[in-house]
Amino acid sequence: MVKSISNLLKSFNSNVNPGEIAHAFSCGAILGLMPKDNLFWYLVFLFILFIRINKPSYLIMILVGAAISPAFDSLFDNVGYWFLTIPAFSSFFGTLLDIPFVAFTKFNNSVVMGSFLCGILFYVPIYFFGRFLIFIWRKYAASFIKNSKVYKLINQLPFISKIASSIGDR
């Protein structure tokens, strides 16, 4: 975990394209919001691994999304129920359930479907928030933190110095 945080902070300060980090935030949020006990989650996880994004940001956002998702389960349930009960899609969903192994994706679970749809809906706002966060970090926060007394104190601790040193690397 320390190495992932260190790599994330290094990517914030390096010449990594901010779009790669912002896309990683958005993709990680999609998976973080979804329940992890279904095949659909693993398929989306593997698909996103083949996209060029910042992997430490992706993994950390999965953890952040997983931490906050229980608070929104009732919203996900309502959105998923609404989508799964659209009359025009009922025959399509019935056909999908007849296909072997598709039921393992649990797409017909209202929380799984609702969290996926909400993750897709929040993709663009999280992307722009990530770009803004990286801009603020690179422009103001990194130099402010590097010059602070707290940073200098933390830099003396051997365990945390690895994370703290990545803040100032450019």
Side-chain angles (χ1 to χ4, degrees):
M1 185 68 178
V2 172
K3 187 170 182 152
S4 294
I5 293 172
S6 176
N7 289 339
L8 175 65
L9 292 174
K10 283 181 183 179
S11 68
F12 273 15
N13 293 320
S14 67
N15 288 330
V16 174
N17 184 353
E20 288 180 22
I21 300 170
H23 280 299
F25 283 169
S26 298
C27 292
I30 289 172
L31 284 176
L33 295 176
M34 289 176 58
K36 312 320 178 251
D37 63 344
N38 57 70
L39 182 62
F40 189 54
W41 189 91
Y42 292 104
L43 292 173
V44 174
F45 179 80
L46 288 174
F47 175 74
I48 292 174
L49 283 179
F50 290 107
I51 298 172
R52 185 175 178 164
I53 58 174
N54 185 273
K55 301 303 190 258
S57 303
Y58 173 60
L59 296 175
I60 288 175
M61 279 305 292
I62 289 174
L63 294 175
V64 169
I68 65 170
S69 67
F72 298 104
D73 276 348
S74 63
L75 170 71
F76 299 152
D77 185 41
N78 291 334
V79 171
Y81 181 79
W82 168 79
F83 185 74
L84 290 171
T85 57
I86 294 175
F89 293 146
S90 64
S91 64
F92 174 69
F93 291 144
T95 305
L96 282 179
L97 284 174
D98 291 337
I99 299 172
F101 298 107
V102 173
F104 292 127
T105 63
K106 294 187 182 176
F107 77 91
N108 59 334
N109 183 325
S110 60
V111 176
V112 172
M113 184 59 74
S115 62
F116 180 69
L117 291 174
C118 287
I120 296 294
L121 182 68
F122 295 141
Y123 189 93
V124 173
I126 292 172
Y127 173 82
F128 285 116
F129 177 73
R131 295 280 305 228
F132 177 72
L133 180 70
I134 295 162
F135 171 76
I136 294 298
W137 179 266
R138 289 181 178 177
K139 185 94 172 165
Y140 304 109
S143 62
F144 176 76
I145 290 173
K146 186 176 180 183
N147 295 327
S148 71
K149 292 179 183 179
V150 174
Y151 172 79
K152 293 173 184 171
L153 178 69
I154 289 174
N155 209 14
Q156 295 174 355
L157 299 173
F159 179 69
I160 301 179
S161 64
K162 185 174 183 179
I163 295 173
S165 66
S166 66
I167 293 173
D169 295 343
R170 191 97 170 129

